Amino acid sequence: MSETSFQVSVGEAFTAEDVAEAAEKPTEQVARYALRLGDDALILAQQLGWWVARAPELEEDVALTNIALDQLGHARAFLSYAGLAWGKTEDDLAYFRGESEFVNAQLFEQPNGDFAQTIARQFVASHFQFELYRQLQGSANATLAAIAAKALKEVDYHRDHADQWMLRLSLGTDESRRRMLRGLEVIWPFVEELFRDDELTDSLKGVAAAPSSLLEGFEKSTAAVFARCEIEIPAGFVARGGGRLGQHTEFLGHLLAEMQVLAREHPGATW
Amino acid sequence: MAREETESGAIDQDALARFDEIIAADERIEPTDWMPEAYRKTLIRQISQHGHSEIIGMQPEGNWITRAPSLKRKAILMAKVQDEAGHGLYLYSAAQTLGITRDKMTEDLITGKAKYSSIFNYHTPSWADMGSIGWLVDGAAICNQVPLCRASYGPYGRAMVRICKEESFHQRQGFEILLHLSRGTKEQHEMAQESVNRWYAPALMMFGPPDADSPNSAQSMAWKIKRFSNDDLRQRFVDMIVPQSEVLGLTLPDPAIKWNEKRGHYDFGELDWDEFYEVLKGRGPANSIRLERRRKAHEDGAWVREAAAAYAARESEQAMAS
Amino acid sequence: MSSPGGGEHETWPLWEVFVRASRGLSHLHAGSLHAPDAEMALRNARDLYTRRNEGVSIWVVPSSEITTSDPDEKDAFFESPKGKRYRHAGYYTEAEGVKHL
């Protein structure tokens, strides 16, 4: 391989910086909606960041980090946009809100567990986000539509990554199948919350993707994977939810404490 | 592959002459070429150690991913640590062309048999360490690595070309972290200075012991694996970082640093090599922690690797049957 | 003989990765990696070798499936083309200065 046989380029795409500079100030409602999607992605990125140097094989370290970086990119875009409404930056929102001000769905704050549980969460998250962004790219709000259009392609890959591992863990060995089923059992109670409409989403017709409208696509695409995995669609507990209202499971506080500790030791500092 | 010596066990003189010819002509040795066993062993040792260093080197920085103080810094740090995984992979692949498996290299690493760069056996208690590692540790690594792009073993040189290209952002992002801290609040400035004080000497020791105490260097240079001596590279590095530290507004913790007009280089003080050998022997601040983390990741991942292998075997059986 | 490094048994076998940098160019060898099967090898290659927009298409091949020429027969293999300068345009000097030739 000569030095010229591979090329490196930056690649043009819509980034958080573009949003912060170019987007119009969103309405309060739109900002609250963007905050939800941003928090989902941020919490997921934070969780996946933990896996760095802990994955089952080095190639998977690289793969999980790519997904984490994509999610972090989506989070930054949504938070930057939401922040315009309140004169806040992405970092103000990420580092200086308390637990009850976070409006991610509870799914995203569920712990990594073992690799199977992480894949179970990743499977649900990416199939949900795929349906969400697919609809949102047609939003009447141009900024949300642009963020969604970029995110959609990336989440499509995350979905494929999760599907591939679902197959291998479900059909690999007895041990991996046992762990995969347990991971799904832990994660599945948090699926229902993702598809609940509420006052905010009802008030943003044509702008937000109505959560309930995403369920059909989600069920169809996940059912196809479950069939290949020879797994029954999980049933059982349904968690109470409330993440969109700032009500969280006991895991989020710890996650935020770690994420925010340094920034909060130096309020007003830049990095 | 052609790694066996001739059946009688005697070295094939023609092959050796051909090997020497290639080295002398500054051409590259490729995996299927005959090569002296000592050359192969030296390369396996050096390339796998280099790979291990990248892999273990993910940990001190990985330590701050979940606590990075801004989302931009979090993204940069993640991308950088990810590159280190990638670089470990490129290097393991290069070593594998010499006839050692990844499984064996991993085993050597987690059983403590293989060595890696001692620098990663230091802790990263402060965010500023992300700056110091980028600026000083990666800076030193780059000084070491750029000449390795011309190493006589083809796959190693090619891996290094890719690595050097990708690493160009690593040192800059570290410098930028320190610059922001140095120009930030009083606490931030102190954080930066304290960190540079800790990393300066270990970074200089990354070039290895003084030439007089580096027994393997001469052979490696004759084989054109290594192109410059430890002391030459160290001097080159000091000459780079002294002016850079002035831009940063930070001092280097060595009162002996002084421009020497006659030599055209900066003079600098003696390093504490006892400390170097202590860390090398496993008595560094974090040796056991680094190894344990790697061991745990490997052991915890065993069931995943086995599952994927079992699935692949099953799929290929089914494909054959149908 | 197979590609160096591909012959040994491992939990996940070794794959060679070829990347097409952009349309109109050939796939070039980028490096290698480990993966349990072809599907994962492609994905690992995407994650590892195209993180900086290096490619628009990827091939993966099990290293053990690559057949290489025998280095011990290098002379026999690669001697013949040497000395056959008439295969190259530069051999034909009499046409020099004539346009469109």
Side-chain angles (χ1 to χ4, degrees):
Chain A
M1 180 176 63
S2 75
E3 294 195 30
T4 53
S5 69
F6 72 98
Q7 305 167 355
V8 172
S9 72
V10 176
E12 292 308 316
F14 195 58
T15 66
E17 284 90 349
D18 299 331
V19 173
E21 281 170 22
E24 306 257 324
K25 185 176 158 179
T27 65
E28 174 74 17
Q29 303 292 87
V30 169
R32 281 175 54 209
Y33 179 67
L35 193 61
R36 291 179 176 187
L37 308 190
D39 284 351
D40 286 354
L42 175 60
I43 301 304
L44 188 56
Q46 176 73 5
Q47 302 261 35
L48 292 173
W50 178 88
W51 275 102
V52 174
R54 290 188 174 92
E57 188 48 279
L58 295 170
E59 280 83 355
E60 193 56 27
D61 265 309
V62 178
L64 287 174
T65 314
N66 271 345
I67 297 175
L69 281 168
D70 288 344
Q71 291 287 337
L72 186 55
H74 309 162
R76 294 181 61 197
F78 283 123
L79 295 183
S80 295
Y81 185 46
L84 291 176
W86 308 306
K88 290 188 186 300
T89 65
E90 56 180 50
D91 288 336
D92 295 336
L93 292 174
Y95 292 96
F96 294 94
R97 275 183 301 152
E99 184 181 336
S100 64
E101 295 168 279
F102 271 78
V103 286
N104 58 285
Q106 292 179 349
L107 170 84
F108 297 92
E109 70 206 36
Q110 296 314 301
N112 286 322
D114 62 4
F115 186 68
Q117 189 171 319
T118 289
I119 290 300
R121 188 186 62 209
Q122 213 42 43
F123 176 68
V124 173
S126 54
H127 278 264
F128 163 70
Q129 287 178 326
F130 182 81
E131 297 301 327
L132 169 70
Y133 295 143
R134 185 158 65 175
Q135 190 164 325
L136 198 60
Q137 65 177 342
S139 169
N141 179 300
T143 306
L144 291 180
I147 300 172
K150 157 85 172 146
L152 179 67
K153 294 178 207 150
E154 295 176 347
V155 168
D156 194 12
Y157 186 79
H158 305 174
R159 201 169 63 138
D160 171 72
H161 172 268
D163 291 355
Q164 295 297 336
W165 275 115
M166 281 279 289
L167 276 171
R168 281 160 184 77
L169 299 185
S170 302
L171 303 174
T173 62
D174 291 346
E175 168 75 355
S176 68
R177 185 170 180 85
R178 183 186 68 75
R179 286 174 182 261
M180 192 66 248
L181 292 173
R182 194 161 97 183
L184 286 165
E185 199 181 313
V186 173
I187 291 302
W188 211 256
F190 299 93
V191 170
E192 195 260 356
E193 181 191 7
L194 299 169
F195 301 99
R196 278 185 213 163
D197 296 339
D198 63 8
E199 269 179 52
L200 179 66
T201 55
D202 288 345
S203 74
L204 288 169
K205 289 220 163 38
V207 172
S212 61
S213 70
L214 307 173
L215 183 60
E216 195 187 336
F218 175 87
E219 283 181 338
K220 209 171 140 197
S221 67
T222 53
V225 179
F226 281 130
R228 288 179 69 197
C229 292
E230 297 166 25
I231 289 180
E232 304 257 321
I233 295 168
F237 292 115
V238 173
R240 179 167 291 178
R244 302 294 187 210
L245 306 171
Q247 296 157 9
H248 293 284
T249 54
E250 55 206 28
F251 306 110
L252 186 65
H254 295 276
L255 183 149
L256 294 180
E258 184 176 356
M259 184 174 86
Q260 298 176 334
V261 59
L262 178 60
R264 287 186 173 216
E265 270 176 32
H266 302 269
T270 56
W271 303 91
Chain B
M1 56 205 284
R3 68 166 165 277
E4 304 84 10
E5 294 174 0
T6 51
E7 278 167 37
S8 65
I11 291 177
D12 181 336
Q13 288 304 324
D14 288 348
L16 181 60
R18 174 78 191 123
F19 172 85
D20 288 340
E21 212 175 280
I22 294 174
I23 298 283
D26 229 346
E27 284 187 40
R28 300 291 180 267
I29 301 296
E30 291 297 341
T32 51
D33 289 330
W34 181 91
M35 62 189 87
E37 262 321 286
Y39 177 82
R40 178 186 303 281
K41 280 196 184 127
T42 299
L43 277 169
I44 288 182
R45 198 190 64 228
Q46 181 173 337
I47 301 173
S48 62
Q49 280 181 11
H50 196 162
H52 297 327
S53 301
E54 296 280 356
I55 299 308
I56 295 290
M58 295 167 72
Q59 293 180 34
E61 289 172 284
N63 179 32
W64 280 93
I65 287 177
T66 55
R67 293 177 294 166
S70 77
L71 297 185
K72 183 176 106 178
R73 292 279 167 222
K74 191 191 283 288
I76 293 170
L77 188 60
M78 260 195 224
K80 176 172 191 272
V81 177
Q82 182 192 43
D83 274 350
E84 282 153 14
H87 298 170
L89 284 172
Y90 305 156
L91 288 160
Y92 282 164
S93 299
Q96 190 146 14
T97 63
L98 291 156
I100 184 171
T101 61
R102 167 99 65 90
D103 286 355
K104 174 77 168 71
M105 285 185 269
T106 305
E107 188 194 309
D108 287 350
L109 175 63
I110 62 180
T111 55
K113 206 179 133 201
K115 295 226 171 338
Y116 54 85
S117 179
S118 295
I119 194 84
F120 302 117
N121 286 326
Y122 290 89
H123 287 296
T124 50
S126 134
W127 166 255
D129 295 340
M130 302 304 98
S132 297
I133 289 182
W135 178 47
L136 294 173
V137 175
D138 292 324
I142 290 167
C143 277
N144 261 327
Q145 287 171 351
V146 167
L148 287 174
C149 295
R150 296 192 293 127
S152 60
Y153 186 59
Y156 192 23
R158 290 191 287 273
M160 291 316 305
V161 168
R162 188 176 271 273
I163 290 171
C164 287
K165 221 171 211 188
E166 295 187 352
E167 281 206 346
S168 55
F169 95 82
H170 292 187
Q171 195 186 12
R172 283 189 179 197
Q173 65 85 37
F175 187 86
E176 217 183 88
I177 288 175
L178 289 175
L179 193 65
H180 278 258
L181 292 176
S182 178
R183 293 178 180 172
T185 64
K186 185 166 159 289
E187 289 81 10
Q188 284 178 305
H189 181 88
E190 282 166 6
M191 191 195 287
Q193 185 62 61
E194 185 274 335
S195 172
V196 167
N197 291 351
R198 265 186 294 116
W199 289 94
Y200 169 77
L204 258 59
M205 292 185 200
M206 285 174 68
F207 297 97
D211 294 346
D213 306 323
S214 182
N216 297 325
S217 286
Q219 178 63 74
S220 281
M221 286 180 67
W223 277 334
K224 295 186 183 169
I225 298 172
K226 213 174 146 78
R227 299 271 177 167
F228 300 97
S229 81
N230 297 352
D231 286 332
D232 285 351
L233 289 168
R234 192 168 9 251
Q235 179 69 60
R236 189 179 293 188
F237 179 62
V238 171
D239 289 346
M240 267 170 37
I241 62 170
V242 172
Q244 289 171 355
S245 69
E246 287 159 11
V247 178
L248 285 173
L250 298 170
T251 57
L252 296 173
D254 179 357
I257 290 179
K258 200 175 152 226
W259 177 250
N260 183 325
E261 192 66 51
K262 217 164 79 196
R263 291 200 311 126
H265 292 290
Y266 284 95
D267 291 335
F268 57 99
E270 279 291 310
L271 295 163
D272 178 6
W273 290 103
D274 291 343
E275 155 81 4
F276 175 81
Y277 289 111
E278 278 292 290
V279 179
L280 202 62
K281 279 182 208 143
R283 289 192 282 268
N287 298 51
S288 60
I289 295 169
R290 299 286 181 248
L291 269 198
E292 174 55 19
R293 164 90 171 262
R294 196 64 240 148
R295 201 154 40 214
K296 189 164 184 332
H298 187 70
E299 286 168 4
D300 289 352
W303 68 272
V304 178
R305 295 191 300 275
E306 281 157 20
Y311 175 85
R314 199 181 101 151
E315 289 289 294
S316 76
E317 259 172 46
Q318 283 178 356
M320 299 264 241
S322 64
Chain C
M1 75 190 313
S2 70
S3 173
E8 315 269 353
H9 178 77
E10 292 192 89
T11 320
W12 286 5
L14 189 67
W15 300 74
E16 300 301 322
V17 179
F18 299 81
V19 175
R20 183 201 294 288
S22 62
R23 291 179 169 280
L25 298 178
S26 303
H27 287 78
L28 285 178
H29 188 232
S32 51
L33 51 74
H34 286 259
D37 53 46
E39 284 177 305
M40 292 306 279
L42 263 185
R43 287 160 178 81
N44 290 348
R46 175 260 193 197
D47 285 325
L48 185 59
Y49 288 105
T50 66
R51 334 196 267 295
R52 288 180 170 84
N53 287 309
E54 292 98 331
V56 295
S57 168
I58 299 173
W59 291 345
V60 291
V61 185
S63 305
S64 59
E65 295 294 317
I66 290 182
T67 308
T68 78
S69 56
D70 186 340
D72 294 339
E73 288 178 21
K74 204 181 297 180
D75 289 348
F77 242 74
F78 300 113
E79 188 55 35
S80 170
K82 291 172 192 162
K84 296 191 173 61
R85 283 184 289 141
Y86 47 79
R87 282 201 175 105
H88 303 272
Y91 181 73
Y92 302 91
T93 52
E94 288 172 49
E96 237 158 65
V98 181
K99 282 184 182 167
H100 308 301
L101 197 69

